[in-house]
Amino acid sequence: MIVEQALLAAAAALVVLAAAVLYRAVRGPTMQDRVVAVNVLGTNTVVILALLSAALDVPSFLDIALVYALLNFLMAVAISKFTVDRGGVM
Amino acid sequence: MDVTPLEVAVVGFLLGGVFFTFVTAVGVIRLPDVYARAHTASQTDTLGAGLTLIAVALVLGLETTTVKTVLLVAFIFVTNPTAAHAIARAAHEEDIEPWREDR
Amino acid sequence: MSDAERSTYTESEVIMSTVRVVTPFVLTFGLFVTFHGADSPGGGFQGGALVGTVALMLAFAFGIDATRRWLGRRAVTAAASLGVIAFAAVGLGGVALGSSFLDYTAYKALPLKKPVKLGIEAVEIGGIGLIVGGVIAGLFFLTAAGPDADADADAGTVPGDGADTGGGPGGDAE
Amino acid sequence: MIAPVGYALVAFVVAAAVATALLRDVLAAIILFAAYSLGMALLYTLLLAPDVGLTEAVVGAGVTTVLLLLTIAETVRPTDGGALERPDPRAAVACGALAVVFGLTLPDLPAVGDPDSPVIAYERVTGYYLSQSYAETGVENTVTAVLAAYRGFDTFGEATVVFAAGVAAMVVLRREVLT
């Protein structure tokens, strides 16, 4: 019981932190700053999903967390490679 | 109120994880330039995520689903620094000057 | 960015190594999501998209043109077409066994363990998964091929030289 | 205890959506849209729709972002401020009013997973699938059973649409690449 409460509290705290990091994604100033922020957001999402999976006892949420961990990397690499120059490297 | 050692460990790891994620958020918001922000995203964030996922693995116990948690930790430890490297490299290619105190 | 600068850009060794480690996992996990879609969240659509993502990941690490040449555009399109054919074949199999289109209970006539579940999985994996994966990879490679990319030159067609008559692209895309 | 997580997520998603709509730089808007997708998939998962969450994760965060990036890679960044006009305040007011109107309907919705909600309690559709799908198909995931078995014909049409749309886009793109 204590453990579940702790897991959910941690998830809530991480969501609040994610909302705070969103400030950097909105503010910029460079594109790379936004990508850093979204990357942190993605990692947070993975962790939140894992926490929810343990707290609500739904093991299949871990599948979604794994998908996120994979795609978060793809997203960061894609955007950063792209922003080298618009259409420059790709 | 009696607490088992496992519960203490879980709460401890959770506190550590949330703390390091908090440090990440502060770093991403407060640090002066993109290189500094990328480094906080790669290091403290990876550590925070790892600690929190260890707590999740402890809660789940010895089951087959725990393998996925271990995989998640391994993944984040490999991919997060690589993503930060990609971002920093992109910033360098775009000739973004690192921040210096005298400017 | 000038052409001289562009040619000096090399693919990052760090990203290449990581992708080399990560890609087998992504592929395996995409197949897991596809094959296990009957009993856990997921299915052909999500799994197919994940498998298609593998092509994207390889392309970002090793260069888009190199990956496209290695994978072959025809293989991608063929996978998508094969998906539609497989889906229709599973459906028509029900008709052939004397029932209606896509009626999996018809497969109970065959000596299979769980005929209905097998039919559903065949549609999910062979049909939807192949279609989605193929379409995503194909769209990605064609969108990524910029205006100055060589169009594979697989049939000896020179870009902008008689290929825009309409017969050229349609002819060698099959 | 689950409610605070939900409220925080809704706030996050709304903030990301508003930021996506208001940012004038297309690339920044795409990156913000990826953040929005992350929050949205989390929200779907929290509302116990993991299949939808998984789809949003794969398509919204991964594939859509990459395809949008590739598309604007073919364009040039506008150098004069002409294309970057400010959002119309009247449109903002209209959107806000619409959001408020929809928000007013929220208290009348049944709770998530409420067994007495009309959709679930109606025995002839949802109730039937939930109680009978495993016995009839042997598939544990009801969503997959409905998609592939009960509505197989519909899914066949959808898969064909995806294929046809993809092939049509590929033909057009290929012609553009060649010319």
Side-chain angles (χ1 to χ4, degrees):
Chain A
M1 197 59 212
I2 298 171
V3 170
E4 274 170 35
Q5 301 283 337
L7 289 170
L8 283 175
L14 287 184
V15 174
V16 172
L17 288 177
V21 172
L22 195 63
Y23 165 81
R24 181 54 67 198
V26 176
R27 197 56 214 287
T30 66
M31 284 306 146
Q32 282 76 23
D33 286 310
R34 300 179 206 270
V35 184
V36 168
V38 171
N39 195 29
V40 172
L41 282 178
T43 315
N44 270 7
T45 312
V46 172
V47 175
I48 294 167
L49 276 172
L51 286 172
L52 289 178
S53 161
L56 307 180
D57 199 22
V58 192
S60 58
F61 283 7
L62 282 176
D63 288 353
I64 308 174
L66 261 176
V67 169
Y68 253 121
L70 303 173
L71 289 176
N72 194 28
F73 171 64
L74 174 80
M75 208 156 64
V77 172
I79 304 176
S80 57
K81 229 184 146 178
F82 166 81
T83 49
V84 169
D85 190 58
R86 280 209 169 170
V89 164
M90 310 219 2
Chain B
M1 196 168 97
D2 49 339
V3 283
T4 61
L6 181 73
E7 285 172 345
V8 174
V10 166
V11 173
F13 275 119
L14 279 180
L15 281 177
V18 171
F19 170 72
F20 278 108
T21 314
F22 174 73
V23 171
T24 313
V26 171
V28 167
I29 293 171
R30 292 286 301 162
L31 283 177
D33 77 339
V34 62
Y35 301 103
R37 289 172 198 146
H39 113 266
T40 185
S42 75
Q43 293 175 5
T44 46
D45 201 25
T46 312
L47 184 57
L51 288 178
T52 323
L53 287 174
I54 287 174
V56 170
L58 285 178
V59 172
L60 289 175
L62 275 177
E63 284 182 52
T64 45
T65 47
T66 317
V67 176
K68 285 178 189 163
T69 324
V70 177
L71 263 181
L72 264 179
V73 177
F75 251 106
I76 288 181
F77 267 67
V78 173
T79 56
N80 240 359
T82 312
H85 158 79
I87 294 162
R89 187 184 152 99
H92 177 73
E93 292 274 335
E94 230 179 41
D95 298 330
I96 295 175
E97 291 286 321
W99 175 83
R100 269 195 244 121
E101 207 165 353
D102 53 336
R103 269 189 298 128
Chain C
M1 184 178 282
S2 69
D3 280 347
E5 258 180 282
R6 185 186 297 191
S7 59
T8 59
Y9 183 86
T10 52
E11 306 293 342
S12 165
E13 189 64 43
V14 177
I15 298 178
M16 275 155 88
S17 312
T18 308
V19 166
R20 223 175 262 140
V21 174
V22 165
T23 313
F25 282 105
V26 185
L27 190 61
T28 316
F29 192 65
L31 292 177
F32 168 79
V33 169
T34 318
F35 280 73
H36 210 251
D39 296 328
S40 68
F45 191 86
Q46 294 90 341
L50 258 182
V51 174
T53 309
V54 174
L56 272 65
M57 222 175 249
L58 286 174
F60 283 126
F62 298 101
I64 290 170
D65 281 332
T67 312
R68 188 175 47 178
R69 270 193 296 276
W70 174 72
L71 199 63
R73 195 190 59 257
R74 289 178 185 185
V76 170
T77 324
S81 314
L82 201 68
V84 177
I85 294 170
F87 205 145
V90 172
L92 289 175
V95 179
L97 290 170
S99 188
S100 29
F101 186 66
L102 278 174
D103 185 1
Y104 307 115
T105 52
Y107 291 106
K108 281 176 180 163
L110 301 178
L112 298 171
K113 220 175 188 179
K114 281 183 174 178
V116 179
K117 187 176 179 181
L118 272 181
I120 289 174
E121 286 186 338
V123 161
E124 285 274 339
I125 299 161
I128 305 171
L130 275 180
I131 294 173
V132 174
V135 164
I136 284 176
L139 269 184
F140 167 74
F141 283 128
L142 268 174
T143 321
D148 50 349
D150 66 327
D152 263 10
D154 48 2
T157 44
V158 183
D161 189 10
D164 53 347
T165 51
D172 57 8
E174 59 190 1
Chain D
M1 192 57 208
I2 196 84
V5 185
Y7 288 129
L9 263 180
V10 169
F12 173 79
V13 167
V14 169
V18 170
T20 308
L22 291 183
L23 273 181
R24 293 294 96 191
D25 189 290
V26 186
L27 185 52
I30 289 173
I31 296 173
L32 256 291
F33 190 61
Y36 165 81
S37 273
L38 290 169
M40 210 59 211
L42 208 46
L43 205 53
Y44 285 135
T45 317
L46 195 68
L47 297 177
L48 298 178
D51 286 273
V52 188
L54 198 54
T55 313
E56 179 74 28
V58 176
V59 176
V63 176
T64 311
T65 311
V66 171
L67 286 184
L68 283 175
L69 280 174
L70 288 174
T71 311
I72 66 159
E74 309 289 325
T75 67
V76 277
R77 191 189 293 260
T79 44
D80 59 333
L84 303 178
E85 55 190 36
R86 308 310 308 170
D88 189 349
R90 283 171 301 175
V93 169
C95 290
L98 199 64
V100 168
V101 169
F102 283 143
L104 288 179
T105 66
L106 285 180
D108 289 335
L109 288 177
V112 177
D114 182 7
D116 296 326
S117 69
V119 177
I120 294 177
Y122 189 52
E123 295 251 325
R124 288 164 73 184
V125 187
T126 318
Y128 179 83
Y129 290 147
L130 287 178
S131 60
Q132 300 296 317
S133 68
Y134 184 70
E136 285 187 357
T137 63
V139 170
E140 282 176 35
N141 186 355
T142 313
V143 177
T144 306
V146 172
L147 270 183
Y150 295 106
R151 291 177 37 187
F153 199 75
D154 188 44
T155 307
F156 182 55
E158 280 169 11
T160 318
V161 165
V162 168
F163 176 72
V167 167
M170 283 187 224
V171 168
V172 172
L173 283 170
R174 185 161 166 72
R175 190 156 299 177
E176 287 204 343
V177 168
L178 282 175
T179 49

